[in-house]
């Protein structure tokens, strides 16, 4: 069995209209959410062997604020990647890690919930994650594979899903 984690970047700063999408950072709410989800990841109980991340500024800043404790390997292909590309990155970059954490973007990360979880493995966590994979969301999948190269559709079960608003209601949706 392999364990895969997905961490979506925290809330980005749309007020930085003078920057291209790749270079946008986080707003103050995003910084708070990233720090909170980072503490949650550190305390969750999975020791991550490897972290592979999009090099976009909002992902870099999310990881800085989260302070997960593992140096990322930057992977250009994760910037706004499709599920097909995300799966390729997992297969090619997973190496001998038993636990792999990816940091990146939607819609690809949200779509990975549908890609990895077979209908027979759908549960209450799946029901939450399929509705929306919001900024700074963190998901953990147990995958029924022995090697990352074996990754295929429906091989996983969602065993953990957390959002900043689950940890602090003040970080919930703005009305």
């Amino acid at each position: 069995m392999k364990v895969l984690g997905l961490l979506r970047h925290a809330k980005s700063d749309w007020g930085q209209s003078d920057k291209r999408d790749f270079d946008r950072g986080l707003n103050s709410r995003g910084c708070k959410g990233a720090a909170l989800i980072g503490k949650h990841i550190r305390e969750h109980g999975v020791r991550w062997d490897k972290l592979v991340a999009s090099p976009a500024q909002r992902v870099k800043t999310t990881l800085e604020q989260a302070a997960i404790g593992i140096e990322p390997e930057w992977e250009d292909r994760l910037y706004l990647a499709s599920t097909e590309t995300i799966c390729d990155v997992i297969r090619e970059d997973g190496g001998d890690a038993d636990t792999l954490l990816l940091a990146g973007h939607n819609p690809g990360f949200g779509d990975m919930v549908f890609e990895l979880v077979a209908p027979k493995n759908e549960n209450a966590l799946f029901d939450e994650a399929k509705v929306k994979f919001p900024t700074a969301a963190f998901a953990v999948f147990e995958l029924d594979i022995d090697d990352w190269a074996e990754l295929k559709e429906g091989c996983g079960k969602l065993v953990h899903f957390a959002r900043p608003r689950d940890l602090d209601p003040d970080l919930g949706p703005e009305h």
Side-chain angles (χ1 to χ4, degrees):
M1 180 183 75
K2 298 286 188 185
V3 176
L4 174 69
L6 299 179
L7 171 62
R8 183 178 173 205
H9 67 79
K11 193 165 283 297
S12 59
D13 188 352
W14 285 96
Q16 297 178 336
S17 60
D18 61 328
K19 296 189 177 188
R20 61 188 182 126
D21 179 73
F22 186 86
D23 297 324
R24 278 189 295 116
L26 302 181
N27 64 22
S28 61
R29 186 180 165 110
C31 289
K32 289 177 192 169
L36 188 61
I37 206 71
K39 181 177 187 284
H40 177 76
I41 291 169
R42 290 189 306 275
E43 294 174 352
H44 175 65
V46 174
R47 186 187 149 277
W48 298 103
D49 295 328
K50 189 172 190 178
L51 169 60
V52 180
S54 161
Q57 187 58 49
R58 59 191 177 276
V59 175
K60 287 182 175 182
T61 306
T62 296
L63 293 174
E64 289 166 9
Q65 295 292 318
I68 296 167
I70 183 170
E71 280 299 312
E73 294 179 17
W74 304 112
E75 174 55 73
D76 291 339
R77 294 180 296 166
L78 284 178
Y79 176 63
L80 304 179
S82 66
T83 57
E84 181 179 332
T85 300
I86 294 167
C87 289
D88 287 345
V89 168
I90 293 167
R91 289 182 197 107
E92 295 166 21
D93 294 354
D96 59 2
D98 288 321
T99 59
L100 175 63
L101 178 61
L102 299 183
H105 312 266
N106 264 0
F109 274 24
D111 291 344
M112 286 296 290
V113 174
F114 296 100
E115 181 74 19
L116 294 175
V117 179
K120 68 179 182 167
N121 290 330
E122 291 178 9
N123 55 24
L125 294 173
F126 174 86
D127 292 341
E128 284 290 317
K130 76 177 184 182
V131 172
K132 187 173 184 187
F133 201 94
T135 52
F138 169 62
V140 179
F141 301 85
E142 289 179 351
L143 307 177
D144 189 19
I145 57 174
D146 294 320
D147 188 285
W148 295 110
E150 300 170 5
L151 184 75
K152 63 184 181 297
E153 185 177 347
C155 72
K157 179 177 183 181
L158 184 60
V159 296
H160 185 74
F161 183 64
R163 304 161 290 202
R165 72 176 181 215
D166 299 327
L167 309 171
D168 180 352
D170 288 341
L171 292 173
E174 298 176 75
H175 300 287

